[in-house]
Amino acid sequence: MNSHELRDFVYQQIARIGKAVSSPKRLELLDLLSQGEKTVELMALRSDMSVKLTSAHLKELRHAKLVETRKDGKYVVYSLANEDITALWLRLRALAENQYKEFSNTLNEQGRVVDDTSTLSFDQVFKKAKRGEIVLIDVRPRDEFAAGHFPFAQSIPLEDLKKRLSELPKNKEIITYCRGSHCLQANEAVKILKKRGFKAARLKEGVTDLYAQGLSLEKSTSR
Amino acid sequence: MNSHELRDFVYQQIARIGKAVSSPKRLELLDLLSQGEKTVELMALRSDMSVKLTSAHLKELRHAKLVETRKDGKYVVYSLANEDITALWLRLRALAENQYKEFSNTLNEQGRVVDDTSTLSFDQVFKKAKRGEIVLIDVRPRDEFAAGHFPFAQSIPLEDLKKRLSELPKNKEIITYCRGSHCLQANEAVKILKKRGFKAARLKEGVTDLYAQGLSLEKSTSR
DNA sequence: AGTTCATTCCAACAATTATTAGAATAACAA
DNA sequence: TTGTTATTCTAATAATTGTTGGAATGAACT
């Protein structure tokens, strides 16, 4: 390689990362994987893609070495290659939020409920949840809750929420959370809860943000 | 927007960043801009692209809000939108170095001379340069040196090196540096120097890396 | 061995992006 | 004004990527 080719090679290698994160669908897959390892089938379901298309995008991500696979019986289980990938995903998200006003505005308009809660630190929220002053609910799918969740949180996946309203108290504040500040499931939950007369708000941050702060999460198989 | 469209919107916005950094040429432009603001013309020259193509890629970067422009007479001067963009560029580069062995191997093979120097901290190198124990030379183009350079360094652009060998001592070690660990100009310089019997090595890091550590650089108009 | 099922490969087309050439704009200089 | 230079815009084509359907692979279970 002459110095010309070598220089091009350098930028090409770095662009491998860029290409991998240049597609909305692939970012969605990374987001899903940041919440825990998953099979192709499950990711296809969650992201409303065909299995084939999901597989194609995952191939691209594997080529860029952002994800890894392992076999479990008939299934191929995908996961992020390492913590740096979570960090990359978070940085891209944060950068988009800073640079694009239309993005952060949309997130805010869409019911990211900013009130007292958003100014509390994670620790404070966990303490309140421990003391029973608030109810902290994790609205992500059950498998993601199992892979890692906030302390003192209970799992009520968004799709089950309407059925399980009777489990929730009317007199306490209900705090919801999901994957992160970009994730809108917690907003949906707040909308539903407020409509039925509950006191509800969402945590601005979610699981990914907590990973970013180097905190570890509780794992469990059920709850 | 329904929740489906909204979710897609979120990932699309983040993918704007990804798209911007998915092309080797655009990464090269970001790299150039990380060394100081530049006109379209100059960037086209440095990157061996046509002015038109350079302009087209810059348009893309502007659309993603990674770069900004200002007018200076007839010229349009481009610069990175903020420090976060430098940080992004560095993170992508570091990630590529970690994930792709063929990348880091190539960098090493191509004469990134790893010896005593690479284990010295920046501070130590600067002190040695100050005391005259080593000669620290910046092989980047003159304008980039002027925009910010290491303390106690002198500017000898790579293209002038052969003409200016008489300025350099044979008995002292000559340490070269350029943009960063991915930049190969310092390697070229070391090759040239060693061939002529000088004691030479390169700093593993370069200017971008120092920015990443939050250190500030000296600016000057000449030297 | 045969069956099942998840996943990948292959081929085709649609959609997007990269690149080049020529025209248009905008600032400066005379 | 006119001419000059830098830059961007428009249009066209080449190259790449996204997407879908059908066939093939390959591991696990019976």
Side-chain angles (χ1 to χ4, degrees), chain B residues 118-218:
Chain B
S118 60
T119 61
L120 294 176
S121 69
F122 284 131
D123 273 348
Q124 288 173 309
V125 171
F126 300 157
K127 271 184 196 149
K128 279 192 159 193
K130 184 181 187 179
R131 290 197 294 259
E133 295 168 24
I134 59 167
V135 175
L136 184 60
I137 67 175
D138 184 322
V139 301
R140 296 174 304 154
R142 208 174 310 281
D143 63 292
E144 298 184 4
F145 178 83
H149 59 84
F150 289 172
F152 313 108
Q154 64 174 298
S155 170
I156 302 185
L158 184 56
E159 53 178 357
D160 298 349
L161 182 58
K162 286 181 187 171
K163 292 182 252 163
R164 296 175 60 182
L165 288 171
S166 60
E167 298 174 30
L168 297 169
K170 287 264 181 186
N171 56 335
K172 288 184 197 169
E173 184 161 28
I174 297 164
I175 308 290
T176 67
Y177 73 87
C178 51
R179 287 172 193 145
S181 61
H182 64 288
C183 177
L184 299 164
Q185 294 180 293
N187 295 349
E188 282 297 314
V190 169
K191 278 185 200 166
I192 291 169
L193 290 169
K194 282 197 163 171
K195 211 167 171 181
R196 322 279 160 129
F198 291 92
K199 277 167 60 186
R202 68 160 285 173
L203 269 181
K204 192 177 161 198
E205 289 88 359
V207 172
T208 320
D209 306 270
L210 203 107
Y211 274 128
Q213 298 188 12
L215 302 171
S216 58
L217 299 177
E218 293 188 11

Side-chain angles (χ1 to χ4, degrees), chain A residues 5 9 12 15 27 38 40 47 74-76 83 90 104 106 109 117 119 135 139 165 169 177 195 203 213 219:
Chain A
E5 291 167 335
F9 174 79
Q12 270 163 27
L27 287 170
K38 290 186 175 56
V40 178
S47 61
K74 306 194 239 192
Y75 295 87
V76 177
E83 327 76 58
L90 264 166
S104 45
T106 305
E109 283 164 24
T117 328
T119 60
V135 175
V139 301
L165 289 171
Y177 74 86
K195 211 169 173 181
L203 269 180
Q213 297 187 14
K219 295 184 184 189

Side-chain angles (χ1 to χ4, degrees), chain A residues 22, chain B residues 15-23 26-27 30 60-61 64 66:
Chain A
S22 67
Chain B
R16 281 170 73 180
I17 311 266
K19 280 209 183 98
V21 297
S22 67
S23 143
R26 286 198 285 274
L27 287 170
L30 288 178
E60 191 72 19
L61 289 172
L66 299 190

Side-chain angles (χ1 to χ4, degrees), chain B residues 1 29 39 41 59 85 117 126-127 164 176 191 212 216:
Chain B
M1 273 202 274
L29 294 175
T39 63
E41 196 184 27
K59 187 182 173 186
I85 313 303
T117 329
F126 300 157
K127 271 184 196 149
R164 296 175 60 182
T176 67
K191 278 185 200 166
S216 58

Side-chain angles (χ1 to χ4, degrees), chain B residues 1-152:
Chain B
M1 273 202 274
N2 64 35
S3 71
H4 217 148
E5 291 167 337
L6 207 57
R7 197 183 59 183
D8 289 347
F9 174 80
V10 165
Y11 294 114
Q12 270 163 29
Q13 292 304 305
I14 302 173
R16 281 170 73 180
I17 311 266
K19 280 209 183 98
V21 297
S22 67
S23 143
K25 304 256 164 101
R26 286 198 285 274
L27 287 170
E28 183 164 7
L29 294 175
L30 288 178
D31 192 19
L32 286 169
L33 289 177
S34 74
Q35 307 295 311
E37 56 175 31
K38 289 186 175 57
T39 63
V40 178
E41 196 184 27
L42 184 55
M43 281 187 274
L45 183 70
R46 294 267 162 84
S47 62
D48 295 304
M49 286 191 263
S50 72
V51 172
K52 281 172 190 171
L53 184 55
T54 307
S55 179
H57 279 302
L58 286 168
K59 187 182 173 186
E60 191 72 19
L61 289 172
R62 226 176 349 151
H63 170 252
K65 304 207 177 165
L66 299 190
V67 305
E68 288 175 348
T69 59
R70 92 184 152 76
K71 281 216 87 165
D72 180 19
K74 304 193 246 193
Y75 296 86
V76 177
V77 181
Y78 280 79
S79 56
L80 297 186
N82 54 57
E83 326 77 59
D84 290 346
I85 313 303
T86 316
L88 173 66
W89 157 242
L90 265 167
R91 174 169 292 257
L92 290 172
R93 193 204 71 191
L95 202 52
E97 249 179 285
N98 286 338
Q99 308 282 308
Y100 310 139
K101 280 183 192 150
E102 63 268 39
F103 181 37
S104 46
N105 287 347
T106 305
L107 285 183
N108 284 324
E109 283 163 22
Q110 289 300 324
R112 179 200 285 183
V113 184
V114 181
D115 53 17
D116 311 338
T117 329
S118 60
T119 61
L120 294 176
S121 69
F122 284 131
D123 273 348
Q124 288 173 309
V125 171
F126 300 157
K127 271 184 196 149
K128 279 192 159 193
K130 184 181 187 179
R131 290 197 294 259
E133 295 168 24
I134 59 167
V135 175
L136 184 60
I137 67 175
D138 184 322
V139 301
R140 296 174 304 154
R142 208 174 310 281
D143 63 292
E144 298 184 4
F145 178 83
H149 59 84
F150 289 172
F152 313 108

Side-chain angles (χ1 to χ4, degrees), chain A residues 40-60:
Chain A
V40 178
E41 195 185 28
L42 183 56
M43 282 187 271
L45 183 71
R46 294 267 162 85
S47 61
D48 296 304
M49 287 192 265
S50 72
V51 172
K52 282 173 190 172
L53 185 54
T54 307
S55 178
H57 280 302
L58 285 169
K59 187 182 172 185
E60 191 73 19

Side-chain angles (χ1 to χ4, degrees), chain A residues 54-219:
Chain A
T54 307
S55 178
H57 280 302
L58 285 169
K59 187 182 172 185
E60 191 73 19
L61 289 173
R62 225 173 354 148
H63 172 250
K65 303 205 177 167
L66 300 190
V67 304
E68 287 174 351
T69 58
R70 95 185 149 74
K71 280 218 88 168
D72 180 19
K74 306 194 239 192
Y75 295 87
V76 177
V77 181
Y78 280 78
S79 56
L80 297 184
N82 54 56
E83 327 76 58
D84 290 347
I85 313 303
T86 315
L88 172 67
W89 157 243
L90 264 166
R91 174 167 293 255
L92 290 171
R93 194 203 70 189
L95 202 52
E97 251 181 282
N98 285 338
Q99 309 280 308
Y100 311 138
K101 280 181 195 153
E102 63 270 37
F103 181 38
S104 45
N105 288 347
T106 305
L107 285 183
N108 283 323
E109 283 164 24
Q110 289 299 326
R112 179 201 286 184
V113 184
V114 181
D115 54 17
D116 312 338
T117 328
S118 60
T119 60
L120 295 177
S121 70
F122 285 129
D123 273 347
Q124 288 173 307
V125 170
F126 299 157
K127 272 183 196 149
K128 280 192 160 195
K130 185 181 186 178
R131 290 196 296 258
E133 294 168 25
I134 58 167
V135 175
L136 184 61
I137 67 176
D138 183 323
V139 301
R140 296 173 304 152
R142 208 174 310 279
D143 63 294
E144 297 186 4
F145 179 84
H149 60 84
F150 289 173
F152 313 109
Q154 63 175 299
S155 170
I156 303 186
L158 184 56
E159 53 178 358
D160 298 349
L161 182 58
K162 286 181 186 169
K163 293 182 251 163
R164 296 176 59 182
L165 289 171
S166 59
E167 300 174 28
L168 297 169
K170 286 264 181 188
N171 57 334
K172 286 184 197 169
E173 186 163 26
I174 296 164
I175 308 292
T176 66
Y177 74 86
C178 52
R179 288 171 194 148
S181 60
H182 64 287
C183 176
L184 299 163
Q185 294 180 293
N187 295 349
E188 282 297 315
V190 170
K191 278 186 200 166
I192 292 169
L193 290 169
K194 282 197 165 171
K195 211 169 173 181
R196 322 277 159 132
F198 290 92
K199 278 167 61 185
R202 68 160 284 171
L203 269 180
K204 193 177 162 198
E205 290 87 359
V207 172
T208 320
D209 307 88
L210 204 109
Y211 273 128
Q213 297 187 14
L215 302 172
S216 58
L217 299 178
E218 294 186 11
K219 295 184 184 189

